[in-house]
Every structure is written in C-alpha cells, then in structure tokens.
Amino acid sequence: MPQPSAPILIIGSYVSPYVRKLLACLAIKGLDYTIDPITPFYGNDEFTRLSPLRRVPVLLQGDLALSDSSVICAWLDEQYPDHPLLLPQGSPADRARARWFEEFADSRMGEVFIWDLFYQKVVHPAVWGEPGDATRIAQAIDTAIPAVLDYLEAELPADGFLFGALGLADIAIATFFPNARFAGYEIDAQRWPTTAAFVERCLAHPAFAALVPFEQAQIRVSQQGRREALLAAGAPLSEQSYGLKTPRSGVMTL
C-alpha cells in the first residue's frame, strides 16, 4: 500500500480536460505533486504498461499506478479523508448526484467538446498535420453542444456551486470549457446565462486559475518545446518522462 507521504507523480498534458480535472482536485485537497506533461499520442511502452488504454491522467505514488480521472479522484477522497473532500457530505442523494454529474461530464461532454470539437480543430492538425473532420465540428457546434448546454442550464445553480464549496461535480463540468475556448467556442451567455456564469465562477477559483499560465505556455509551443516552456512558467515538472519525440497511433483519450 502506498504511504500518504510518498511523492505523487501525474502523467498527462496540462490541456487535457481530464488532467485539468485531477489537478484542480489535488489543489482542493492541498496535495503537492510533480507532473510529466505528455499526451497519450507520445506515450512510450512504459506508459502503455501503466495505462493499458493509453489514457491520461495517470497517478503514480510509490508502487501504485492508477489511470482514469474518476478512479483517481475517488481514490484521493479515500486515501486522504482528513483533507477537504471532493464529494458532498450532506446526504447519499447529494453524493449520487455529484457522481452523476461527473459521469455526464466525463462521457457526454468529453465526446462532444473534446472528440467532436477540440480534437478535430486543434489536436488533429497539430499532431497529424492535417485538418480535422469539418462535418463533425459543425454538428457539434450546431446540435450536440447546444443540447449539453440546454441540460446544464436546467441543472446548474444560479449562484455558487452545486453542493456548497467547489467540488468534484463542479470541476468535472467546468474542465471542458477551456478546451472549447482553445477551439474558438464560447458559451452564448444570452442563451445560457446560468451555465455561462457558473463556468466563469468555477474557472476563476484558484484551483483552476493557478493552472492557466501552464496551459497557455503549453498551447503556444510544439511538443518539442513543451518542457522548456513549462519550466520557464514555473510548472512542477518531473525529472523523468514517459514521452517519445514522435506521436504513436492507438486507443487514447485526452
């Protein structure tokens, strides 16, 4: 079993919404870490061993290796119960609702904001040197994303966060919107005012705001210049990296 005092290493890119989710949760918990800021496309064979689905984030602590942001965040609350908790403590119903919002975000929001929009507009051209699927982008903007925002508009609070203080459910939802912005998409605040205000509150929280300089440093440079740019921005980079110089194809999640 890992010791709670053992160093935590996170593998995963600062611009991954799932990595951003985990890093914001680590900030809420008040836990230090180092990070190897690779994307799965550049993961080496050892990365594949640690994360058989080639997904980020991966958390390493001693002999423990965990992948999948939801698995890791659940483990954080169990491993560090004396730190601020990520799930609401009011009732089983609140915790169930929080888990549902996390699942909705991870699955549906991940599909439309990341694979249909961000991957097609930003990642595909940057990694593979060719344009993404224009039809898929248009369908996301015209149909899929509005349906997600319609649902959130009816569920999110007009003030504050979902269950009191910023927690896992809020973080899981808000983490996709920086990627939408990187792809040139902004919430129409007149059509979805509650959602737009909620996202701004979440992203203004220090747990998210502290990550912005590292995201900006990464998004402006190529894979080859990433570590240098992040070190210059003050990111807590690990000495060891599981990355390659050239991308690999495979089953992988941002």
Side-chain angles (χ1 to χ4, degrees):
M1 295 294 294
Q3 296 298 315
S5 59
I8 292 173
L9 169 64
I10 305 300
I11 304 172
S13 162
Y14 275 106
V15 299
S16 161
Y18 301 100
V19 174
R20 185 185 298 112
K21 168 188 165 185
L22 173 57
L23 299 184
C25 287
L26 285 166
I28 296 295
K29 302 289 281 186
L31 297 171
D32 294 329
Y33 59 88
T34 57
I35 184 168
D36 177 17
I38 68 167
T39 62
F41 306 101
Y42 291 87
N44 61 20
D45 289 342
E46 180 62 8
F47 170 76
T48 302
R49 187 186 71 81
L50 295 169
S51 180
L53 297 180
R54 294 183 62 81
R55 293 176 177 172
V56 293
V58 176
L59 179 146
L60 303 179
Q61 188 184 46
D63 294 332
L64 178 70
L66 297 174
S67 59
D68 185 89
S69 63
S70 295
V71 170
I72 298 171
C73 290
W75 174 83
L76 287 174
D77 262 358
E78 294 182 358
Q79 181 74 351
Y80 298 95
D82 295 333
H83 292 242
L85 295 173
L86 303 172
L87 287 174
Q89 299 304 297
S91 70
D94 282 349
R95 287 189 291 280
R97 288 190 68 233
R99 292 186 181 101
W100 157 246
F101 283 123
E102 182 186 22
E103 171 58 27
F104 177 78
D106 283 357
S107 56
R108 184 56 179 158
M109 294 181 69
E111 180 182 3
V112 299
F113 281 101
I114 301 307
W115 291 111
D116 293 346
L117 179 65
F118 179 73
Y119 178 82
Q120 304 300 330
K121 288 197 71 174
V122 179
V123 178
H124 199 278
V127 174
W128 307 116
E130 57 187 33
D133 186 334
T135 299
R136 195 167 175 180
I137 294 168
Q139 289 175 340
I141 292 172
D142 296 341
T143 304
I145 291 175
V148 167
L149 296 177
D150 285 344
Y151 173 73
L152 293 177
E153 189 71 10
E155 297 292 327
L156 297 176
D159 298 295
F161 304 111
L162 280 160
F163 302 101
L166 184 79
L168 178 58
D170 312 291
I171 291 168
I173 292 168
T175 191
F176 289 97
F177 289 94
N179 293 80
R181 289 175 175 171
F182 291 145
Y185 183 89
E186 292 281 352
I187 303 172
D188 183 341
Q190 292 188 328
R191 184 173 176 182
W192 299 287
T194 298
T195 304
F198 173 84
V199 169
E200 290 307 311
R201 284 195 300 276
C202 290
L203 297 182
H205 190 282
F208 278 115
L211 301 173
V212 171
F214 309 141
E215 296 175 16
Q216 292 295 329
Q218 179 175 326
I219 204 76
R220 291 176 183 145
V221 299
S222 67
Q223 169 73 19
Q224 289 69 32
R226 177 176 300 177
R227 288 187 66 87
E228 291 76 11
L230 287 171
L231 284 170
L237 300 194
S238 63
E239 294 184 6
Q240 179 182 8
S241 178
Y242 295 88
L244 299 169
K245 293 183 178 180
T246 56
R248 296 169 53 174
S249 61
V251 179
M252 36 197 132
T253 298
L254 295 170

